Amino acid sequence: MITVTRRNGTAFALNPDLIERVEATPDTVITLVSGTKYVVAESVAQIVDEVCQFRAAVLVASANPAPPEPPVRLRSVSTSES
């Protein structure tokens, strides 16, 4: 996810896989594949840079996956009363 800021100052996270295009008209408008449009404070260059950083982080994470956690061992718990 990338973080962008609406013109009113509120920030939100956006899935960059859903971005169809980013335009400067002169405000920066992000259009999603669904047709939803967001006017944001960031420049086109900033959005492109954030998307590139996000994709690079995904590639690094996939090349160096975290080691699997050991399986949880289940055991019987008895509550016998004497």
Side-chain angles (χ1 to χ4, degrees), residues 4-66:
V4 293
T5 310
R6 290 185 174 99
R7 299 294 290 178
N8 67 6
T10 59
F12 67 99
L14 181 66
N15 181 347
D17 294 332
L18 301 179
I19 295 175
E20 180 180 320
R21 66 178 171 270
V22 181
E23 306 171 88
T25 64
D27 293 328
T28 305
V29 179
I30 300 173
T31 304
L32 304 183
V33 293
S34 66
T36 304
K37 294 183 183 225
Y38 294 104
V39 178
V40 297
E42 291 80 5
S43 68
V44 172
Q46 288 173 308
I47 299 296
V48 169
D49 187 50
E50 281 201 51
V51 171
C52 288
Q53 288 178 23
F54 170 78
R55 297 211 187 288
V58 169
L59 289 174
V60 167
S62 67
N64 302 311

Side-chain angles (χ1 to χ4, degrees), residues 75-81:
R75 61 185 176 87
S76 174
V77 178
S78 62
T79 56
S80 62
E81 296 179 17

